[in-house]
């Protein structure tokens, strides 16, 4: 069976960098944004839309109250489309995992691939470190105040947690869902990559 | 400055084994039960007593109600003695950390030595795995039913959490208190030792 590493990560913790470094070191395929591009191709939805919903739970629906024997379930286009993106994503994750050894970032891949026994990593860091990392890698982040950027980081992480919980019925940050949780505060991501690679090097 | 590794661990997760293996691999001094023996020597308390209180918060005190201007603080021998053990433990941890590179298991060592920038590990596993590990290493555990042993494991971990919280004002299992959290479910402790050692090998 192919070897699979899944990486869940707090925003700004260096999880994506860890994935890329591992991919370079081990020669495994790497999937992150690539999954979005594939969904865009298959669904003809806009990249921005797919990016936006691909790690977000569907919008909460308010059902109209029915009386009598009516059990008609109204269609909600936003819900339906977001579910379609999730299903497509789920399918692509299964397909790439079947193709070769790989590293998949986010997208509940740890849960989607649970029958393939992936090595499940969670990457986190303290807020100060995440602020710094965001600013190092993104011009837009450099233009935000500490408070604004902090709010953005918290919002992204809250969405990821809600998305994970919605599709897996598990707590995103619960340690029992992971094999290894790595704190990148004050330590280079290179170091994290080195220790994880050690597990997979032949 | 000496290199220091601290290991917090769920009961039965293999944290102690990890400490020993790391000590063998890296040649660092290893402290676990050794700290209890040292407290026994310095205080002339019984080993059983020291073992019992060394990772337990002091007993909750009920203060008598005073009226008027009395602010007399009653002495509680159980409290005083347990505090003495903790202080001695704290002192010994500081002493051994100043002596040489070392690995210290439990005892809030991560917090006690926070100014020395220790590498802080938390080891955990799921209940089934902890039951098996306890039985592998201890005859007494083999004589307990699953339910009894589960209760024991939960009690020990609850005490460790309360002890940690009492002396550090932090949550024992909060990931931000650790650099690395390792799940030993279904994976040999040897593997965990290998990856951690990689960080310290020269």
């Amino acid at each position: 069976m192919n070897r699979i590493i899944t990486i869940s990560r707090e925003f700004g913790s260096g999880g994506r960098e860890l994935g890329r470094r591992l991919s370079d070191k081990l020669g495994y395929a790497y999937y992150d944004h690539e999954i979005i591009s594939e969904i865009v191709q298959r669904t003809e939805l806009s990249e921005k839309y797919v990016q936006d919903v691909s790690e977000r739970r569907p919008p909460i629906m308010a059902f109209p109250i029915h009386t009598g024997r009516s059990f008609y379930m109204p269609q909600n286009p936003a819900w339906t489309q977001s579910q379609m993106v999730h299903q497509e994503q789920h399918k692509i994750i299964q397909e790439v995992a079947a193709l070769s050894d790989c590293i998949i970032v986010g997208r509940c891949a740890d849960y989607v691939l649970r029958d393939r026994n992936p090595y499940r990593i969670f990457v986190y860091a303290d807020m100060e470190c995440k602020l710094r990392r965001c600013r190092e890698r993104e011009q837009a982040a450099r233009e935000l105040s500490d408070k604004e950027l902090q709010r953005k980081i918290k919002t992204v992480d809250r969405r990821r947690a809600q998305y994970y919980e919605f599709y897996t019925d598990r707590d995103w940050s619960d340690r029992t869902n992971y094999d290894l949780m790595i704190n990148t505060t004050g330590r280079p991501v290179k170091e994290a990559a080195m220790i994880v690679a050690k597990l997979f090097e032949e």
Side-chain angles (χ1 to χ4, degrees), chain A:
Chain A
M1 206 183 260
N2 293 329
R3 279 158 304 180
I4 295 157
I5 301 173
T6 63
I7 300 179
S8 303
R9 74 299 184 208
E10 287 180 353
F11 188 69
S13 68
R16 188 181 295 182
E17 184 189 337
L18 173 63
R20 285 202 182 283
R21 283 185 180 274
L22 278 175
S23 165
D24 288 347
K25 265 182 179 299
L26 298 169
Y28 291 12
Y30 170 80
Y31 300 103
D32 179 6
H33 196 82
E34 294 73 6
I35 292 174
I36 291 176
S37 312
E38 186 62 29
I39 298 172
V40 169
Q41 278 209 342
R42 293 190 190 183
T43 59
E44 296 183 350
L45 292 165
S46 81
E47 181 158 333
K48 194 183 166 320
Y49 172 77
V50 174
Q51 170 103 49
D52 205 46
V53 302
S54 73
E55 280 196 276
R56 206 190 267 204
R57 70 160 184 221
I60 303 287
M61 282 176 74
F63 293 102
I65 297 164
H66 290 275
T67 51
R69 285 184 298 165
S70 164
F71 288 99
Y72 167 71
M73 179 74 115
Q75 288 287 327
N76 175 322
W79 169 283
T80 312
Q81 211 165 56
S82 140
Q83 284 292 82
M84 188 183 73
V85 168
H86 175 72
Q87 278 165 20
E88 210 52 60
Q89 185 160 265
H90 186 121
K91 234 165 73 187
I92 294 168
I93 290 171
Q94 290 282 11
E95 285 171 18
V96 299
L99 265 182
S100 70
D101 297 337
C102 65
I103 297 156
I104 304 174
V105 176
R107 301 168 174 79
C108 309
D110 55 316
Y111 181 79
V112 174
L113 301 174
R114 62 195 180 283
D115 294 337
R116 289 180 172 270
N117 193 27
Y119 192 73
R120 304 155 305 166
I121 300 173
F122 186 95
V123 188
Y124 62 101
D126 69 17
M127 185 53 81
E128 204 180 325
C129 167
K130 290 189 283 191
L131 288 171
R132 212 194 51 246
R133 277 222 181 84
C134 283
R135 287 184 174 131
E136 275 167 14
R137 76 180 184 205
E138 239 192 288
Q139 176 58 32
R142 286 195 281 277
E143 284 156 17
L144 298 176
S145 71
D146 272 11
K147 216 171 153 186
E148 288 167 331
L149 187 51
Q150 235 180 76
R151 202 178 310 132
K152 185 185 166 187
I153 291 171
K154 282 184 184 165
T155 304
V156 173
D157 282 348
R158 196 173 48 248
R159 276 189 203 143
R160 284 178 182 170
Q162 286 171 341
Y163 171 78
Y164 189 86
E165 207 175 315
F166 184 85
Y167 285 110
T168 69
D169 211 15
R170 293 175 177 180
D171 176 359
W172 183 54
S173 61
D174 178 354
R175 66 182 180 276
T176 60
N177 296 329
Y178 304 102
D179 297 297
L180 198 67
M181 296 182 86
I182 306 178
N183 188 345
T184 54
T185 307
R187 299 186 180 269
V189 174
K190 200 173 156 184
E191 187 184 273
M194 186 183 72
I195 64 173
V196 178
K198 182 81 181 149
L199 286 170
F200 292 87
E201 273 157 8
E202 323 221 354

